[in-house]
Amino acid sequence: MMEGQWKIEFWGTRGSMAVSGKDFLKYGGDTSCVLLDWGYGLLVFDGGSGLAKLGKALALAGEKRRVDILLSHMHMDHIVGLLGFNLFYDKEARIHLYGIPGDGGSFKKSLETVVGSPYWPVGFKDFPADIQFHQIQAGQSFSIKEGSGAIKVSTLEGKHPGGSVLYRVDGHGRSVVYGLDCQLDEEMFGKMAEFSKNTQVLIWDANFTAEDLRRHQDWGHSSWRQGISLRKAANGKKAVMTHFSWEYTDDFLTEQERLAVMEDEASLFARERMELWV
């Protein structure tokens, strides 16, 4: 990696639930998980089913850098990969988990409800890794420091049933915005455009097409066409669409991507294992 460069890898591109089969090989079938390698450490957006495969790859590579996992919210498709994250079993691993409180409870207790009895045979207390929990509130900012490097993480409250938090990471003259599970109305569009201003990469929720979005009002999602409008309003360099409906096949998404690129050459659709350099 060149000095100061960041690498983004997509390990999960689906929303709601994972899918498999021959019709889902091109764009992938795992749920949301995106890795940002910022040089001094590893930052992971969301813990969908793709996190389990990412964890296996990091373990095989002997990765020992600090890992920070930023969870957008507590819906199952964004946390299920925690159940199979290999680095939890590595006593040398340093893992930090961030997220907003669950309904009426703390962030840590919400995760412990899923990772542990009665839904899973082992819980966080059983893992030898050094695991730290950070309960955050949408709107706050914090720094992640490792060695001589540091990045700033900013947050914004999304519009999604049960709540969600959107993330922006800045450092070394670079920025990435992660905006999944967010429904755009006029007010939210303005907030998101300001939040994403001049970002290098906008990772956006393209769960539905514009047509399907009209049939799924108040589901807390958006479309690739809204993502294009947002990128332009924010003067973002690139928009990457992801969190595709689990019902959308490769053929369908290929046609949607063709239409999107015709409207905006700075936009593309994420594929699992796709890499971007920032």
Side-chain angles (χ1 to χ4, degrees):
M1 178 181 297
M2 294 176 61
E3 181 65 27
Q5 268 199 315
W6 292 355
K7 182 171 72 169
I8 301 172
E9 295 180 354
F10 290 83
W11 287 82
T13 62
R14 291 287 167 175
S16 298
M17 64 179 65
V19 289
S20 63
K22 62 181 179 61
D23 291 327
F24 305 97
L25 298 176
K26 180 178 178 180
Y27 294 92
D30 279 306
T31 59
S32 300
C33 181
V34 179
L35 172 67
L36 171 60
D37 184 338
W38 59 280
Y40 295 93
L42 302 175
L43 185 145
V44 182
F45 297 107
D46 268 332
S49 62
L51 180 67
K53 293 178 181 177
L54 170 59
K56 183 177 180 180
L58 295 177
L60 288 173
E63 183 60 66
K64 298 300 180 185
R65 283 177 292 171
R66 166 176 169 161
V67 179
D68 294 271
I69 302 176
L70 309 181
L71 300 177
S72 61
H73 61 308
M74 300 299 293
H75 285 167
M76 189 59 69
D77 54 323
H78 291 258
I79 64 172
V80 68
L82 294 170
L83 301 177
F85 190 51
N86 280 22
L87 294 192
F88 286 151
Y89 296 92
D90 182 350
K91 65 181 180 180
E92 298 180 19
R94 295 170 297 137
I95 302 165
H96 294 253
L97 295 164
Y98 304 77
I100 54 178
D103 292 337
S106 73
F107 169 62
K108 181 180 179 182
K109 287 187 179 298
S110 294
L111 282 184
E112 288 175 336
T113 300
V114 178
V115 185
S117 180
Y119 301 110
W120 199 244
V122 293
F124 288 106
K125 62 181 175 56
D126 302 308
F127 299 133
D130 178 10
I131 304 172
Q132 303 291 324
F133 296 85
H134 304 271
Q135 180 168 304
I136 63 173
Q137 296 289 342
Q140 77 177 85
S141 299
F142 55 92
S143 296
I144 296 174
K145 299 179 180 179
E146 183 69 10
S148 60
I151 52 177
K152 177 185 176 183
V153 180
S154 305
T155 65
L156 178 69
E157 183 177 3
K159 188 174 183 181
H160 189 72
S164 67
V165 60
L166 316 178
Y167 293 99
R168 175 176 177 137
V169 181
D170 288 276
H172 312 116
R174 292 165 168 80
S175 66
V176 174
V177 172
Y178 184 79
L180 267 60
D181 289 59
C182 181
Q183 180 174 314
L184 283 184
D185 54 20
E186 186 175 349
E187 180 183 12
M188 193 70 229
F189 186 94
K191 290 180 178 179
M192 194 61 192
E194 180 62 27
F195 185 70
S196 308
K197 189 174 181 180
N198 298 326
T199 188
Q200 270 78 35
V201 178
L202 168 65
I203 300 172
W204 188 245
D205 181 331
N207 195 93
F208 293 120
T209 63
E211 293 75 21
D212 285 345
L213 189 61
R214 286 193 286 270
R215 294 191 291 271
H216 296 86
Q217 287 296 315
D218 299 322
W219 281 40
H221 293 290
S222 59
S223 69
W224 59 257
R225 185 161 279 119
Q226 289 177 320
I228 288 174
S229 297
L230 181 59
R231 183 201 71 77
K232 292 178 178 179
N235 193 38
K237 186 175 181 180
K238 186 184 298 294
V240 185
M241 312 302 175
T242 187
H243 201 278
F244 309 121
S245 168
W246 62 278
E247 297 180 321
Y248 292 169
T249 65
D250 286 340
D251 287 345
F252 183 82
L253 288 175
T254 296
E255 174 61 14
Q256 293 299 306
E257 185 173 23
R258 185 187 70 81
L259 295 172
V261 173
M262 285 178 60
E263 289 192 22
D264 181 22
E265 292 183 352
S267 296
L268 70 157
F269 280 30
R271 295 160 172 76
E272 284 181 17
R273 307 301 188 276
M274 185 177 81
E275 297 180 0
L276 294 177
W277 293 89
V278 184

